[in-house]
Amino acid sequence: MNHKVLYLSYDGMTDSLGQSQVLPYLFGLADKGVCVHLVSFEKKEFSEDIPRIKERCAENGILWYPQTYTKKPPLISTVKDIRKMKKKALSLHEAVGFDIVHCRSYIPAIVGRFLQRKKQLKLVFDMRGFWADERIEGGIWDKNSPIFKRAYNFFKKKEIEFFNESDAIVSLTNNGKQEIESWKNLPNRSEIEVIPCCVDLDHFHSDKVDQTALEEKRNQLRISKDDFVLGYVGSIGTWYMLPEMLDYYAVLRQKKSKAKFLFISREPKENIVNLAKEKGIPEEEIIVTGTTHNEVPTYISLFDFSIFFIRPTFSKKASSPTKQGELMALGIPIICNAGVGDTDLIIKDSNAGIVLENLDNESYQACNLDPSEYDKAEIRAGAEKWYSLKNGVEKYFGIYERLGR
């Protein structure tokens, strides 16, 4: 069956997240004959990338309708964007006649639920995480504010509706799935499919990394061959525990005579360096550089070991760090904290690094970061087992096939 799918995303395709966690799946689905129309909301600061992404979408058979993301004022801007999304979705449906609406997270699911009720489209709720709880736990919404409290209660009520009424539900983690299955107020809930943040294993492959380009990056960043490089990739944002990661590095540098902490991030360098200096870490040991999605594998290949510490809150049960699959695909061992999604399970299952139960000086001192104790091929095999993009595309296609019967 030739499925006609309207894919709604409040994340932009010019964001790094859109390029790593939306487009590869959609390209794979289009390759399997799915007709995909994509609506997303693009941030002004990345708008110069729209022509390039539009070209990539066209090459891969995706019809893309980028909308402008409204940032301010809080909540009111979101309501405006929901109206804009609804209007665009309705006009596209009148022209195309979709059979499935695939909603990436809670904001699009409001529009998807409307289309399901009014136009009888099948609704895929691709939840991505406990969104309302993330807003509160991340400090994005002030739980003491009456307005944000109302918004939280509204979305928690909607969450129950989405789980009860969707034709298919996707969770990033088994941990999140088990949490939802424990709730007693979901009598009509569909089966939950687990699809983590997958990775393009062909793109993130050490055999594909140009060794000349790798040495050029090493020289540019002033990293010598005998430096021990601890690496971090991605934005720092709300959830990543920068102070604790720097505390860890402060202990590590006492053990390693030559060490560098390399951040592959668009984060302003001074935000990281100033905090590092407060912790007694010399500025010259902190390297911060941004890059394109295409060059990320080359930069990651400079790491001896990687790190990410994520705040282990309730909402993070449903979180799948994009970086984990990318790092494992390149055979890089990871040090991380316990209590986030399926991270502990996957690291231990794949012998891919160290999971810390406690983030304190004693735990940091006890860590032995010896890359020679880890088998790059075994870590890569773990990525193939848990994070294969091909498997992710097959699972999404399987959902569409089931709904199309």
Side-chain angles (χ1 to χ4, degrees):
M1 182 178 177
N2 189 11
H3 307 289
K4 288 188 277 189
V5 176
L6 175 61
Y7 191 103
L8 301 177
S9 172
Y10 201 36
D11 293 308
M13 298 305 107
T14 51
D15 293 6
S16 56
L17 195 68
Q19 291 174 56
S20 68
Q21 287 304 312
V22 180
L23 293 178
Y25 297 96
L26 297 186
F27 294 165
L29 287 163
D31 200 43
K32 293 176 79 65
V34 178
C35 172
V36 180
H37 290 248
L38 168 63
V39 176
S40 65
F41 282 70
E42 306 303 315
K43 298 177 182 70
K44 284 193 174 77
E45 58 264 37
F46 304 139
S47 59
E48 73 280 356
D49 213 15
I50 286 175
R52 183 182 71 85
I53 301 295
K54 199 155 227 175
E55 195 175 315
R56 284 194 68 205
C57 285
E59 285 167 1
N60 287 277
I62 303 292
L63 291 147
W64 180 41
Y65 309 91
Q67 310 295 302
T68 304
Y69 173 78
T70 314
K71 192 170 185 178
K72 293 176 180 176
L75 294 180
I76 294 169
S77 59
T78 308
V79 170
K80 283 183 179 177
D81 285 346
I82 290 169
R83 285 177 181 157
K84 200 189 299 180
M85 187 187 290
K86 188 175 176 182
K87 187 178 177 184
K88 187 66 184 176
L90 276 170
S91 70
L92 285 172
H93 179 60
E94 293 306 317
V96 178
F98 300 109
D99 48 280
I100 295 169
V101 56
H102 187 146
C103 301
R104 181 183 165 83
S105 194
Y106 288 52
I107 298 289
I110 292 172
V111 177
R113 180 81 180 102
F114 171 81
L115 291 169
Q116 181 197 40
R117 285 199 321 270
K118 299 294 183 185
K119 302 294 180 181
Q120 289 71 56
L121 272 66
K122 297 289 187 180
L123 171 60
V124 178
F125 178 40
D126 202 342
M127 63 176 284
R128 316 310 297 174
F130 296 112
W131 187 78
D133 295 286
E134 285 179 343
R135 313 304 281 180
I136 295 290
E137 291 173 355
I140 301 162
W141 289 355
D142 179 2
K143 62 183 175 186
N144 297 315
S145 156
I147 294 169
F148 287 118
K149 195 172 180 181
R150 278 182 68 186
Y152 175 77
N153 291 335
F154 170 80
F155 277 103
K156 288 304 282 183
K157 192 176 173 185
K158 281 287 177 190
E159 180 177 72
I160 298 300
E161 183 185 330
F162 298 152
F163 286 137
N164 265 323
E165 303 299 335
S166 296
D167 299 288
I169 300 163
V170 179
S171 169
L172 291 171
T173 67
N174 289 286
N175 199 342
K177 176 181 177 177
Q178 287 159 15
E179 171 63 31
I180 298 158
E181 287 177 342
S182 74
W183 297 358
K184 306 297 184 197
N185 52 352
L186 302 176
N188 305 319
R189 178 183 54 75
S190 298
E191 181 60 31
I192 300 169
E193 183 77 74
V194 176
I195 307 175
C197 287
C198 296
V199 59
D200 183 340
L201 293 166
D202 289 332
H203 182 54
F204 285 86
H205 198 307
S206 54
D207 289 353
K208 302 279 179 75
V209 174
D210 185 303
Q211 293 305 305
T212 305
L214 184 65
E215 290 313 306
E216 282 174 7
K217 301 296 181 203
R218 194 187 298 279
N219 293 333
Q220 278 171 19
L221 300 172
R222 296 180 180 165
I223 297 170
S224 71
K225 284 279 176 108
D226 54 349
D227 280 333
F228 181 91
V229 180
L230 182 68
Y232 177 87
V233 62
S235 60
I236 305 295
T238 307
W239 298 103
Y240 291 95
M241 303 166 77
L242 179 61
E244 289 81 358
M245 290 191 283
L246 288 167
D247 287 339
Y248 182 86
Y249 178 77
V251 172
L252 168 73
R253 66 183 296 274
Q254 303 302 327
K255 297 180 175 185
K256 305 280 185 186
S257 58
K258 294 193 73 178
K260 297 273 169 65
F261 198 165
L262 173 56
F263 289 81
I264 311 304
S265 178
R266 288 175 172 171
E267 190 77 13
K269 182 175 179 176
E270 60 273 14
N271 292 2
I272 299 170
V273 167
N274 292 342
L275 190 54
K277 287 198 287 197
E278 284 176 28
K279 295 178 181 293
I281 300 166
E283 183 174 347
E284 59 270 20
E285 290 182 21
I286 302 292
I287 304 166
V288 183
T289 181
T291 188
T292 62
H293 181 66
N294 279 345
E295 286 199 309
V296 169
T298 306
Y299 280 93
I300 288 178
S301 299
L302 294 167
F303 299 176
D304 290 296
F305 229 96
S306 58
I307 187 170
F308 57 82
F309 293 163
I310 301 173
R311 291 169 56 200
T313 60
F314 164 77
S315 63
K316 293 292 108 179
K317 286 185 177 191
S319 180
S320 172
T322 305
K323 57 177 74 37
Q324 184 172 353
E326 295 172 350
L327 291 161
M328 286 176 60
L330 289 160
I332 307 295
I334 297 165
I335 179 159
C336 62
N337 61 303
V340 176
D342 295 336
T343 295
D344 316 19
L345 166 73
I346 294 168
I347 293 282
K348 290 169 184 172
D349 178 74
S350 310
N351 191 27
I354 300 166
V355 179
L356 294 180
E357 294 296 332
N358 299 302
L359 298 183
D360 55 32
N361 207 50
E362 190 181 344
S363 301
Y364 303 159
Q365 291 285 0
C367 283
N368 176 22
L369 292 202
D370 182 355
S372 68
E373 290 187 4
Y374 296 90
D375 182 344
K376 282 183 174 287
E378 187 180 5
I379 297 172
R380 165 82 186 180
E384 290 168 351
K385 175 181 174 179
W386 291 96
Y387 294 113
S388 160
L389 176 64
K390 186 180 176 187
N391 290 350
V393 169
E394 287 295 340
K395 284 186 175 184
Y396 279 122
F397 187 68
I399 290 169
Y400 293 172
E401 288 281 89
R402 176 169 63 79
L403 297 184
R405 285 185 198 130

